[in-house]
Amino acid sequence: MKAYDIISTSSIIKLAWQERPNPIIWMLMDNGKVLSLSYDRQVKFKAWSVHSFGGTDTVVTDLEIIPRTDYDQVRFQVNRTINGATKQYVEFMEEEY
């Protein structure tokens, strides 16, 4: 359950709870990385993940969970350097990711 090797070099600045289709706790770290903790108490399942975002000098600056009709959509505010300029995007995960 503990993931000191994953979180020891940074601090959590935001938590978000995704309930559907699977229970996941999303964490935004102060270094711009995104972590998730999937778990299910009934079957005693836990798994940590570190998420990568493509591009040059990519930093995630915010995350939100948007409830949809049949699933919770995860959205990220992402800064990327493109042709020397920083651009900001809102990106999201579809139901089946």
Side-chain angles (χ1 to χ4, degrees):
M1 183 67 173
K2 297 176 183 167
Y4 294 124
D5 58 322
I6 296 175
I7 63 173
S8 63
T9 60
S10 187
S11 297
I12 299 169
I13 59 173
K14 187 167 187 177
L15 292 171
W17 167 252
Q18 177 187 6
E19 189 168 348
R20 301 168 302 146
N22 300 304
I24 301 173
I25 300 171
W26 292 89
M27 290 153 266
L28 178 60
M29 309 304 286
D30 65 359
N31 62 3
K33 295 191 182 220
V34 175
L35 308 178
S36 65
L37 173 60
S38 302
Y39 78 100
D40 188 329
R41 286 185 183 170
Q42 292 179 350
V43 296
K44 297 181 181 176
F45 168 81
K46 302 173 209 77
W48 283 90
S49 298
V50 179
H51 299 271
S52 299
F53 291 76
T56 304
D57 298 326
T58 304
V59 177
V60 178
T61 59
D62 201 3
L63 65 91
E64 293 291 332
I65 306 299
I66 308 298
R68 308 286 293 217
T69 304
D70 55 349
Y71 70 100
D72 296 337
Q73 186 178 63
V74 184
R75 293 188 185 178
F76 304 96
Q77 184 173 315
V78 182
N79 290 348
R80 286 195 174 81
T81 301
I82 300 173
N83 295 327
T86 300
K87 306 281 185 177
Q88 190 172 79
Y89 299 90
V90 174
E91 301 177 2
F92 59 91
M93 292 183 162
E94 290 291 342
E95 180 178 8
E96 297 293 326
Y97 49 85

PDB file of all heavy atoms in Angstrom, residues 61-96:
ATOM      1  N   THR A  61      -0.334  20.817 -14.540  1.00  0.00           N
ATOM      2  CA  THR A  61      -0.508  21.858 -13.526  1.00  0.00           C
ATOM      3  C   THR A  61      -1.802  21.730 -12.736  1.00  0.00           C
ATOM      4  O   THR A  61      -1.962  22.381 -11.705  1.00  0.00           O
ATOM      5  CB  THR A  61      -0.437  23.257 -14.167  1.00  0.00           C
ATOM      6  OG1 THR A  61      -1.458  23.356 -15.163  1.00  0.00           O
ATOM      7  CG2 THR A  61       0.928  23.492 -14.796  1.00  0.00           C
ATOM      8  N   ASP A  62      -2.735  20.904 -13.222  1.00  0.00           N
ATOM      9  CA  ASP A  62      -3.989  20.716 -12.491  1.00  0.00           C
ATOM     10  C   ASP A  62      -4.671  19.448 -13.003  1.00  0.00           C
ATOM     11  O   ASP A  62      -4.370  18.974 -14.102  1.00  0.00           O
ATOM     12  CB  ASP A  62      -4.919  21.913 -12.683  1.00  0.00           C
ATOM     13  CG  ASP A  62      -5.986  22.032 -11.596  1.00  0.00           C
ATOM     14  OD1 ASP A  62      -5.973  21.214 -10.649  1.00  0.00           O
ATOM     15  OD2 ASP A  62      -6.827  22.932 -11.700  1.00  0.00           O
ATOM     16  N   LEU A  63      -5.575  18.910 -12.184  1.00  0.00           N
ATOM     17  CA  LEU A  63      -6.398  17.781 -12.609  1.00  0.00           C
ATOM     18  C   LEU A  63      -7.759  17.893 -11.959  1.00  0.00           C
ATOM     19  O   LEU A  63      -7.909  18.471 -10.884  1.00  0.00           O
ATOM     20  CB  LEU A  63      -5.727  16.441 -12.291  1.00  0.00           C
ATOM     21  CG  LEU A  63      -5.490  16.047 -10.834  1.00  0.00           C
ATOM     22  CD1 LEU A  63      -6.669  15.258 -10.289  1.00  0.00           C
ATOM     23  CD2 LEU A  63      -4.254  15.180 -10.756  1.00  0.00           C
ATOM     24  N   GLU A  64      -8.758  17.375 -12.655  1.00  0.00           N
ATOM     25  CA  GLU A  64     -10.140  17.412 -12.175  1.00  0.00           C
ATOM     26  C   GLU A  64     -10.841  16.138 -12.598  1.00  0.00           C
ATOM     27  O   GLU A  64     -10.502  15.545 -13.618  1.00  0.00           O
ATOM     28  CB  GLU A  64     -10.911  18.600 -12.779  1.00  0.00           C
ATOM     29  CG  GLU A  64     -10.445  19.959 -12.337  1.00  0.00           C
ATOM     30  CD  GLU A  64     -10.728  20.263 -10.883  1.00  0.00           C
ATOM     31  OE1 GLU A  64     -11.701  19.720 -10.325  1.00  0.00           O
ATOM     32  OE2 GLU A  64      -9.985  21.056 -10.301  1.00  0.00           O
ATOM     33  N   ILE A  65     -11.851  15.757 -11.842  1.00  0.00           N
ATOM     34  CA  ILE A  65     -12.714  14.647 -12.194  1.00  0.00           C
ATOM     35  C   ILE A  65     -14.073  15.241 -12.563  1.00  0.00           C
ATOM     36  O   ILE A  65     -14.673  15.974 -11.767  1.00  0.00           O
ATOM     37  CB  ILE A  65     -12.888  13.655 -11.023  1.00  0.00           C
ATOM     38  CG1 ILE A  65     -11.529  13.180 -10.502  1.00  0.00           C
ATOM     39  CG2 ILE A  65     -13.784  12.494 -11.434  1.00  0.00           C
ATOM     40  CD1 ILE A  65     -10.666  12.452 -11.496  1.00  0.00           C
ATOM     41  N   ILE A  66     -14.537  14.934 -13.774  1.00  0.00           N
ATOM     42  CA  ILE A  66     -15.818  15.450 -14.251  1.00  0.00           C
ATOM     43  C   ILE A  66     -16.802  14.281 -14.333  1.00  0.00           C
ATOM     44  O   ILE A  66     -16.616  13.381 -15.150  1.00  0.00           O
ATOM     45  CB  ILE A  66     -15.675  16.106 -15.643  1.00  0.00           C
ATOM     46  CG1 ILE A  66     -14.547  17.147 -15.647  1.00  0.00           C
ATOM     47  CG2 ILE A  66     -17.006  16.686 -16.105  1.00  0.00           C
ATOM     48  CD1 ILE A  66     -14.732  18.305 -14.707  1.00  0.00           C
ATOM     49  N   PRO A  67     -17.845  14.273 -13.490  1.00  0.00           N
ATOM     50  CA  PRO A  67     -18.837  13.184 -13.561  1.00  0.00           C
ATOM     51  C   PRO A  67     -19.598  13.233 -14.888  1.00  0.00           C
ATOM     52  O   PRO A  67     -20.054  14.289 -15.305  1.00  0.00           O
ATOM     53  CB  PRO A  67     -19.771  13.471 -12.393  1.00  0.00           C
ATOM     54  CG  PRO A  67     -19.010  14.386 -11.498  1.00  0.00           C
ATOM     55  CD  PRO A  67     -18.110  15.185 -12.391  1.00  0.00           C
ATOM     56  N   ARG A  68     -19.667  12.094 -15.559  1.00  0.00           N
ATOM     57  CA  ARG A  68     -20.427  11.949 -16.797  1.00  0.00           C
ATOM     58  C   ARG A  68     -21.617  11.034 -16.499  1.00  0.00           C
ATOM     59  O   ARG A  68     -21.762  10.550 -15.380  1.00  0.00           O
ATOM     60  CB  ARG A  68     -19.541  11.348 -17.892  1.00  0.00           C
ATOM     61  CG  ARG A  68     -18.207  12.052 -18.120  1.00  0.00           C
ATOM     62  CD  ARG A  68     -18.375  13.338 -18.817  1.00  0.00           C
ATOM     63  NE  ARG A  68     -18.839  13.067 -20.172  1.00  0.00           N
ATOM     64  CZ  ARG A  68     -18.469  13.734 -21.223  1.00  0.00           C
ATOM     65  NH1 ARG A  68     -17.622  14.709 -21.107  1.00  0.00           N
ATOM     66  NH2 ARG A  68     -18.956  13.451 -22.406  1.00  0.00           N
ATOM     67  N   THR A  69     -22.419  10.773 -17.479  1.00  0.00           N
ATOM     68  CA  THR A  69     -23.595   9.929 -17.273  1.00  0.00           C
ATOM     69  C   THR A  69     -23.234   8.541 -16.775  1.00  0.00           C
ATOM     70  O   THR A  69     -23.834   8.029 -15.836  1.00  0.00           O
ATOM     71  CB  THR A  69     -24.394   9.803 -18.590  1.00  0.00           C
ATOM     72  OG1 THR A  69     -24.719  11.100 -19.050  1.00  0.00           O
ATOM     73  CG2 THR A  69     -25.662   9.009 -18.378  1.00  0.00           C
ATOM     74  N   ASP A  70     -22.223   7.921 -17.396  1.00  0.00           N
ATOM     75  CA  ASP A  70     -21.894   6.541 -17.044  1.00  0.00           C
ATOM     76  C   ASP A  70     -20.454   6.321 -16.595  1.00  0.00           C
ATOM     77  O   ASP A  70     -20.058   5.185 -16.359  1.00  0.00           O
ATOM     78  CB  ASP A  70     -22.227   5.611 -18.214  1.00  0.00           C
ATOM     79  CG  ASP A  70     -21.546   6.039 -19.503  1.00  0.00           C
ATOM     80  OD1 ASP A  70     -21.001   7.151 -19.546  1.00  0.00           O
ATOM     81  OD2 ASP A  70     -21.565   5.248 -20.464  1.00  0.00           O
ATOM     82  N   TYR A  71     -19.655   7.387 -16.483  1.00  0.00           N
ATOM     83  CA  TYR A  71     -18.284   7.273 -15.987  1.00  0.00           C
ATOM     84  C   TYR A  71     -17.792   8.644 -15.540  1.00  0.00           C
ATOM     85  O   TYR A  71     -18.408   9.655 -15.853  1.00  0.00           O
ATOM     86  CB  TYR A  71     -17.347   6.676 -17.047  1.00  0.00           C
ATOM     87  CG  TYR A  71     -17.071   7.584 -18.224  1.00  0.00           C
ATOM     88  CD1 TYR A  71     -15.881   8.308 -18.292  1.00  0.00           C
ATOM     89  CD2 TYR A  71     -17.971   7.723 -19.269  1.00  0.00           C
ATOM     90  CE1 TYR A  71     -15.605   9.149 -19.354  1.00  0.00           C
ATOM     91  CE2 TYR A  71     -17.703   8.556 -20.339  1.00  0.00           C
ATOM     92  CZ  TYR A  71     -16.530   9.265 -20.384  1.00  0.00           C
ATOM     93  OH  TYR A  71     -16.256  10.091 -21.434  1.00  0.00           O
ATOM     94  N   ASP A  72     -16.710   8.655 -14.803  1.00  0.00           N
ATOM     95  CA  ASP A  72     -16.077   9.903 -14.370  1.00  0.00           C
ATOM     96  C   ASP A  72     -14.901  10.193 -15.293  1.00  0.00           C
ATOM     97  O   ASP A  72     -14.000   9.363 -15.431  1.00  0.00           O
ATOM     98  CB  ASP A  72     -15.588   9.789 -12.929  1.00  0.00           C
ATOM     99  CG  ASP A  72     -16.721   9.582 -11.940  1.00  0.00           C
ATOM    100  OD1 ASP A  72     -17.869   9.944 -12.266  1.00  0.00           O
ATOM    101  OD2 ASP A  72     -16.459   9.053 -10.852  1.00  0.00           O
ATOM    102  N   GLN A  73     -14.913  11.355 -15.926  1.00  0.00           N
ATOM    103  CA  GLN A  73     -13.846  11.711 -16.863  1.00  0.00           C
ATOM    104  C   GLN A  73     -12.719  12.422 -16.106  1.00  0.00           C
ATOM    105  O   GLN A  73     -12.964  13.336 -15.320  1.00  0.00           O
ATOM    106  CB  GLN A  73     -14.383  12.622 -17.955  1.00  0.00           C
ATOM    107  CG  GLN A  73     -13.369  12.912 -19.038  1.00  0.00           C
ATOM    108  CD  GLN A  73     -13.963  13.783 -20.121  1.00  0.00           C
ATOM    109  OE1 GLN A  73     -14.340  14.922 -19.853  1.00  0.00           O
ATOM    110  NE2 GLN A  73     -14.050  13.252 -21.319  1.00  0.00           N
ATOM    111  N   VAL A  74     -11.481  11.998 -16.365  1.00  0.00           N
ATOM    112  CA  VAL A  74     -10.307  12.615 -15.751  1.00  0.00           C
ATOM    113  C   VAL A  74      -9.753  13.645 -16.729  1.00  0.00           C
ATOM    114  O   VAL A  74      -9.474  13.331 -17.884  1.00  0.00           O
ATOM    115  CB  VAL A  74      -9.229  11.555 -15.426  1.00  0.00           C
ATOM    116  CG1 VAL A  74      -8.065  12.192 -14.697  1.00  0.00           C
ATOM    117  CG2 VAL A  74      -9.822  10.424 -14.611  1.00  0.00           C
ATOM    118  N   ARG A  75      -9.615  14.898 -16.270  1.00  0.00           N
ATOM    119  CA  ARG A  75      -9.080  15.974 -17.116  1.00  0.00           C
ATOM    120  C   ARG A  75      -7.814  16.532 -16.481  1.00  0.00           C
ATOM    121  O   ARG A  75      -7.715  16.667 -15.268  1.00  0.00           O
ATOM    122  CB  ARG A  75     -10.094  17.096 -17.289  1.00  0.00           C
ATOM    123  CG  ARG A  75     -11.302  16.665 -18.078  1.00  0.00           C
ATOM    124  CD  ARG A  75     -12.184  17.836 -18.394  1.00  0.00           C
ATOM    125  NE  ARG A  75     -13.398  17.380 -19.059  1.00  0.00           N
ATOM    126  CZ  ARG A  75     -14.379  18.178 -19.415  1.00  0.00           C
ATOM    127  NH1 ARG A  75     -14.296  19.468 -19.172  1.00  0.00           N
ATOM    128  NH2 ARG A  75     -15.442  17.687 -20.008  1.00  0.00           N
ATOM    129  N   PHE A  76      -6.867  16.873 -17.349  1.00  0.00           N
ATOM    130  CA  PHE A  76      -5.577  17.399 -16.924  1.00  0.00           C
ATOM    131  C   PHE A  76      -5.319  18.737 -17.600  1.00  0.00           C
ATOM    132  O   PHE A  76      -5.601  18.895 -18.786  1.00  0.00           O
ATOM    133  CB  PHE A  76      -4.444  16.444 -17.323  1.00  0.00           C
ATOM    134  CG  PHE A  76      -4.625  15.050 -16.804  1.00  0.00           C
ATOM    135  CD1 PHE A  76      -5.199  14.075 -17.598  1.00  0.00           C
ATOM    136  CD2 PHE A  76      -4.220  14.710 -15.527  1.00  0.00           C
ATOM    137  CE1 PHE A  76      -5.371  12.783 -17.129  1.00  0.00           C
ATOM    138  CE2 PHE A  76      -4.389  13.428 -15.044  1.00  0.00           C
ATOM    139  CZ  PHE A  76      -4.963  12.460 -15.858  1.00  0.00           C
ATOM    140  N   GLN A  77      -4.791  19.680 -16.865  1.00  0.00           N
ATOM    141  CA  GLN A  77      -4.280  20.921 -17.452  1.00  0.00           C
ATOM    142  C   GLN A  77      -2.789  20.700 -17.643  1.00  0.00           C
ATOM    143  O   GLN A  77      -2.070  20.427 -16.674  1.00  0.00           O
ATOM    144  CB  GLN A  77      -4.537  22.103 -16.528  1.00  0.00           C
ATOM    145  CG  GLN A  77      -4.107  23.423 -17.125  1.00  0.00           C
ATOM    146  CD  GLN A  77      -4.550  24.576 -16.247  1.00  0.00           C
ATOM    147  OE1 GLN A  77      -5.677  24.608 -15.777  1.00  0.00           O
ATOM    148  NE2 GLN A  77      -3.645  25.502 -16.026  1.00  0.00           N
ATOM    149  N   VAL A  78      -2.334  20.794 -18.897  1.00  0.00           N
ATOM    150  CA  VAL A  78      -0.966  20.418 -19.241  1.00  0.00           C
ATOM    151  C   VAL A  78      -0.263  21.589 -19.929  1.00  0.00           C
ATOM    152  O   VAL A  78      -0.821  22.208 -20.838  1.00  0.00           O
ATOM    153  CB  VAL A  78      -0.965  19.193 -20.190  1.00  0.00           C
ATOM    154  CG1 VAL A  78       0.448  18.764 -20.521  1.00  0.00           C
ATOM    155  CG2 VAL A  78      -1.740  18.039 -19.575  1.00  0.00           C
ATOM    156  N   ASN A  79       0.953  21.901 -19.484  1.00  0.00           N
ATOM    157  CA  ASN A  79       1.807  22.877 -20.156  1.00  0.00           C
ATOM    158  C   ASN A  79       2.862  22.132 -20.948  1.00  0.00           C
ATOM    159  O   ASN A  79       3.500  21.219 -20.424  1.00  0.00           O
ATOM    160  CB  ASN A  79       2.492  23.806 -19.151  1.00  0.00           C
ATOM    161  CG  ASN A  79       1.528  24.756 -18.496  1.00  0.00           C
ATOM    162  OD1 ASN A  79       0.390  24.907 -18.920  1.00  0.00           O
ATOM    163  ND2 ASN A  79       1.973  25.408 -17.448  1.00  0.00           N
ATOM    164  N   ARG A  80       3.047  22.531 -22.219  1.00  0.00           N
ATOM    165  CA  ARG A  80       4.073  21.948 -23.080  1.00  0.00           C
ATOM    166  C   ARG A  80       4.836  23.059 -23.782  1.00  0.00           C
ATOM    167  O   ARG A  80       4.260  24.088 -24.120  1.00  0.00           O
ATOM    168  CB  ARG A  80       3.433  21.070 -24.168  1.00  0.00           C
ATOM    169  CG  ARG A  80       2.916  19.775 -23.692  1.00  0.00           C
ATOM    170  CD  ARG A  80       2.646  18.858 -24.907  1.00  0.00           C
ATOM    171  NE  ARG A  80       2.281  17.558 -24.451  1.00  0.00           N
ATOM    172  CZ  ARG A  80       1.069  17.215 -24.047  1.00  0.00           C
ATOM    173  NH1 ARG A  80       0.113  18.098 -24.069  1.00  0.00           N
ATOM    174  NH2 ARG A  80       0.825  15.988 -23.633  1.00  0.00           N
ATOM    175  N   THR A  81       6.111  22.834 -24.024  1.00  0.00           N
ATOM    176  CA  THR A  81       6.908  23.773 -24.799  1.00  0.00           C
ATOM    177  C   THR A  81       6.854  23.342 -26.258  1.00  0.00           C
ATOM    178  O   THR A  81       7.241  22.224 -26.598  1.00  0.00           O
ATOM    179  CB  THR A  81       8.358  23.812 -24.299  1.00  0.00           C
ATOM    180  OG1 THR A  81       8.345  24.190 -22.925  1.00  0.00           O
ATOM    181  CG2 THR A  81       9.196  24.787 -25.098  1.00  0.00           C
ATOM    182  N   ILE A  82       6.363  24.257 -27.117  1.00  0.00           N
ATOM    183  CA  ILE A  82       6.247  23.992 -28.552  1.00  0.00           C
ATOM    184  C   ILE A  82       6.920  25.141 -29.295  1.00  0.00           C
ATOM    185  O   ILE A  82       6.529  26.302 -29.128  1.00  0.00           O
ATOM    186  CB  ILE A  82       4.773  23.856 -28.978  1.00  0.00           C
ATOM    187  CG1 ILE A  82       4.125  22.698 -28.213  1.00  0.00           C
ATOM    188  CG2 ILE A  82       4.656  23.668 -30.486  1.00  0.00           C
ATOM    189  CD1 ILE A  82       2.654  22.558 -28.416  1.00  0.00           C
ATOM    190  N   ASN A  83       7.950  24.812 -30.082  1.00  0.00           N
ATOM    191  CA  ASN A  83       8.713  25.823 -30.820  1.00  0.00           C
ATOM    192  C   ASN A  83       9.194  26.952 -29.906  1.00  0.00           C
ATOM    193  O   ASN A  83       9.122  28.124 -30.243  1.00  0.00           O
ATOM    194  CB  ASN A  83       7.898  26.389 -31.978  1.00  0.00           C
ATOM    195  CG  ASN A  83       7.592  25.348 -33.022  1.00  0.00           C
ATOM    196  OD1 ASN A  83       8.392  24.437 -33.259  1.00  0.00           O
ATOM    197  ND2 ASN A  83       6.437  25.457 -33.647  1.00  0.00           N
ATOM    198  N   GLY A  84       9.631  26.588 -28.716  1.00  0.00           N
ATOM    199  CA  GLY A  84      10.189  27.551 -27.775  1.00  0.00           C
ATOM    200  C   GLY A  84       9.170  28.299 -26.935  1.00  0.00           C
ATOM    201  O   GLY A  84       9.544  29.071 -26.059  1.00  0.00           O
ATOM    202  N   ALA A  85       7.881  28.102 -27.186  1.00  0.00           N
ATOM    203  CA  ALA A  85       6.837  28.798 -26.433  1.00  0.00           C
ATOM    204  C   ALA A  85       6.038  27.787 -25.615  1.00  0.00           C
ATOM    205  O   ALA A  85       5.778  26.677 -26.062  1.00  0.00           O
ATOM    206  CB  ALA A  85       5.907  29.552 -27.373  1.00  0.00           C
ATOM    207  N   THR A  86       5.649  28.203 -24.409  1.00  0.00           N
ATOM    208  CA  THR A  86       4.842  27.335 -23.558  1.00  0.00           C
ATOM    209  C   THR A  86       3.377  27.475 -23.939  1.00  0.00           C
ATOM    210  O   THR A  86       2.847  28.580 -23.996  1.00  0.00           O
ATOM    211  CB  THR A  86       5.038  27.682 -22.073  1.00  0.00           C
ATOM    212  OG1 THR A  86       6.410  27.516 -21.743  1.00  0.00           O
ATOM    213  CG2 THR A  86       4.200  26.789 -21.185  1.00  0.00           C
ATOM    214  N   LYS A  87       2.760  26.351 -24.204  1.00  0.00           N
ATOM    215  CA  LYS A  87       1.338  26.303 -24.566  1.00  0.00           C
ATOM    216  C   LYS A  87       0.609  25.513 -23.482  1.00  0.00           C
ATOM    217  O   LYS A  87       1.145  24.570 -22.918  1.00  0.00           O
ATOM    218  CB  LYS A  87       1.125  25.595 -25.907  1.00  0.00           C
ATOM    219  CG  LYS A  87       1.927  26.165 -27.044  1.00  0.00           C
ATOM    220  CD  LYS A  87       1.312  27.413 -27.577  1.00  0.00           C
ATOM    221  CE  LYS A  87       2.116  27.871 -28.799  1.00  0.00           C
ATOM    222  NZ  LYS A  87       1.541  29.026 -29.405  1.00  0.00           N
ATOM    223  N   GLN A  88      -0.647  25.900 -23.223  1.00  0.00           N
ATOM    224  CA  GLN A  88      -1.441  25.242 -22.192  1.00  0.00           C
ATOM    225  C   GLN A  88      -2.625  24.530 -22.842  1.00  0.00           C
ATOM    226  O   GLN A  88      -3.303  25.089 -23.701  1.00  0.00           O
ATOM    227  CB  GLN A  88      -1.945  26.273 -21.196  1.00  0.00           C
ATOM    228  CG  GLN A  88      -2.564  25.679 -19.967  1.00  0.00           C
ATOM    229  CD  GLN A  88      -2.859  26.763 -18.958  1.00  0.00           C
ATOM    230  OE1 GLN A  88      -3.852  27.465 -19.093  1.00  0.00           O
ATOM    231  NE2 GLN A  88      -2.005  26.891 -17.966  1.00  0.00           N
ATOM    232  N   TYR A  89      -2.865  23.287 -22.415  1.00  0.00           N
ATOM    233  CA  TYR A  89      -3.926  22.466 -22.971  1.00  0.00           C
ATOM    234  C   TYR A  89      -4.742  21.838 -21.850  1.00  0.00           C
ATOM    235  O   TYR A  89      -4.229  21.611 -20.757  1.00  0.00           O
ATOM    236  CB  TYR A  89      -3.339  21.322 -23.814  1.00  0.00           C
ATOM    237  CG  TYR A  89      -2.527  21.786 -24.977  1.00  0.00           C
ATOM    238  CD1 TYR A  89      -1.159  22.012 -24.855  1.00  0.00           C
ATOM    239  CD2 TYR A  89      -3.119  22.005 -26.213  1.00  0.00           C
ATOM    240  CE1 TYR A  89      -0.408  22.445 -25.925  1.00  0.00           C
ATOM    241  CE2 TYR A  89      -2.367  22.437 -27.298  1.00  0.00           C
ATOM    242  CZ  TYR A  89      -1.020  22.651 -27.141  1.00  0.00           C
ATOM    243  OH  TYR A  89      -0.268  23.081 -28.205  1.00  0.00           O
ATOM    244  N   VAL A  90      -5.998  21.516 -22.158  1.00  0.00           N
ATOM    245  CA  VAL A  90      -6.809  20.673 -21.285  1.00  0.00           C
ATOM    246  C   VAL A  90      -6.968  19.356 -22.026  1.00  0.00           C
ATOM    247  O   VAL A  90      -7.452  19.320 -23.156  1.00  0.00           O
ATOM    248  CB  VAL A  90      -8.187  21.298 -20.987  1.00  0.00           C
ATOM    249  CG1 VAL A  90      -9.055  20.321 -20.199  1.00  0.00           C
ATOM    250  CG2 VAL A  90      -8.020  22.602 -20.222  1.00  0.00           C
ATOM    251  N   GLU A  91      -6.505  18.292 -21.400  1.00  0.00           N
ATOM    252  CA  GLU A  91      -6.551  16.968 -22.002  1.00  0.00           C
ATOM    253  C   GLU A  91      -7.368  16.060 -21.099  1.00  0.00           C
ATOM    254  O   GLU A  91      -7.483  16.302 -19.906  1.00  0.00           O
ATOM    255  CB  GLU A  91      -5.137  16.423 -22.181  1.00  0.00           C
ATOM    256  CG  GLU A  91      -4.313  17.353 -23.063  1.00  0.00           C
ATOM    257  CD  GLU A  91      -2.880  16.910 -23.230  1.00  0.00           C
ATOM    258  OE1 GLU A  91      -2.500  15.845 -22.702  1.00  0.00           O
ATOM    259  OE2 GLU A  91      -2.130  17.640 -23.904  1.00  0.00           O
ATOM    260  N   PHE A  92      -7.937  15.017 -21.661  1.00  0.00           N
ATOM    261  CA  PHE A  92      -8.793  14.144 -20.870  1.00  0.00           C
ATOM    262  C   PHE A  92      -8.654  12.697 -21.287  1.00  0.00           C
ATOM    263  O   PHE A  92      -8.175  12.397 -22.371  1.00  0.00           O
ATOM    264  CB  PHE A  92     -10.253  14.588 -20.960  1.00  0.00           C
ATOM    265  CG  PHE A  92     -10.806  14.612 -22.363  1.00  0.00           C
ATOM    266  CD1 PHE A  92     -11.426  13.490 -22.882  1.00  0.00           C
ATOM    267  CD2 PHE A  92     -10.704  15.743 -23.147  1.00  0.00           C
ATOM    268  CE1 PHE A  92     -11.926  13.493 -24.159  1.00  0.00           C
ATOM    269  CE2 PHE A  92     -11.202  15.765 -24.429  1.00  0.00           C
ATOM    270  CZ  PHE A  92     -11.817  14.631 -24.938  1.00  0.00           C
ATOM    271  N   MET A  93      -9.084  11.838 -20.395  1.00  0.00           N
ATOM    272  CA  MET A  93      -9.128  10.409 -20.660  1.00  0.00           C
ATOM    273  C   MET A  93     -10.566  10.021 -20.973  1.00  0.00           C
ATOM    274  O   MET A  93     -11.491  10.479 -20.304  1.00  0.00           O
ATOM    275  CB  MET A  93      -8.642   9.603 -19.453  1.00  0.00           C
ATOM    276  CG  MET A  93      -7.198   9.761 -19.175  1.00  0.00           C
ATOM    277  SD  MET A  93      -6.770   8.686 -17.805  1.00  0.00           S
ATOM    278  CE  MET A  93      -5.022   8.616 -17.999  1.00  0.00           C
ATOM    279  N   GLU A  94     -10.715   9.186 -21.980  1.00  0.00           N
ATOM    280  CA  GLU A  94     -12.037   8.655 -22.311  1.00  0.00           C
ATOM    281  C   GLU A  94     -12.390   7.550 -21.316  1.00  0.00           C
ATOM    282  O   GLU A  94     -11.571   7.143 -20.496  1.00  0.00           O
ATOM    283  CB  GLU A  94     -12.046   8.103 -23.737  1.00  0.00           C
ATOM    284  CG  GLU A  94     -11.948   9.173 -24.800  1.00  0.00           C
ATOM    285  CD  GLU A  94     -13.213  10.037 -24.883  1.00  0.00           C
ATOM    286  OE1 GLU A  94     -14.282   9.636 -24.375  1.00  0.00           O
ATOM    287  OE2 GLU A  94     -13.122  11.130 -25.441  1.00  0.00           O
ATOM    288  N   GLU A  95     -13.591   7.043 -21.433  1.00  0.00           N
ATOM    289  CA  GLU A  95     -14.053   6.004 -20.515  1.00  0.00           C
ATOM    290  C   GLU A  95     -13.140   4.781 -20.551  1.00  0.00           C
ATOM    291  O   GLU A  95     -12.756   4.243 -19.513  1.00  0.00           O
ATOM    292  CB  GLU A  95     -15.466   5.588 -20.875  1.00  0.00           C
ATOM    293  CG  GLU A  95     -16.025   4.510 -19.983  1.00  0.00           C
ATOM    294  CD  GLU A  95     -17.437   4.149 -20.344  1.00  0.00           C
ATOM    295  OE1 GLU A  95     -17.946   4.611 -21.374  1.00  0.00           O
ATOM    296  OE2 GLU A  95     -18.042   3.400 -19.588  1.00  0.00           O
ATOM    297  N   GLU A  96     -12.763   4.322 -21.738  1.00  0.00           N
ATOM    298  CA  GLU A  96     -11.890   3.145 -21.876  1.00  0.00           C
ATOM    299  C   GLU A  96     -10.469   3.602 -22.108  1.00  0.00           C
ATOM    300  O   GLU A  96     -10.087   3.942 -23.203  1.00  0.00           O
ATOM    301  CB  GLU A  96     -12.368   2.284 -23.040  1.00  0.00           C
ATOM    302  CG  GLU A  96     -13.739   1.712 -22.860  1.00  0.00           C
ATOM    303  CD  GLU A  96     -13.826   0.697 -21.744  1.00  0.00           C
ATOM    304  OE1 GLU A  96     -12.854  -0.037 -21.522  1.00  0.00           O
ATOM    305  OE2 GLU A  96     -14.882   0.648 -21.093  1.00  0.00           O
TER     306      GLU A  96
END
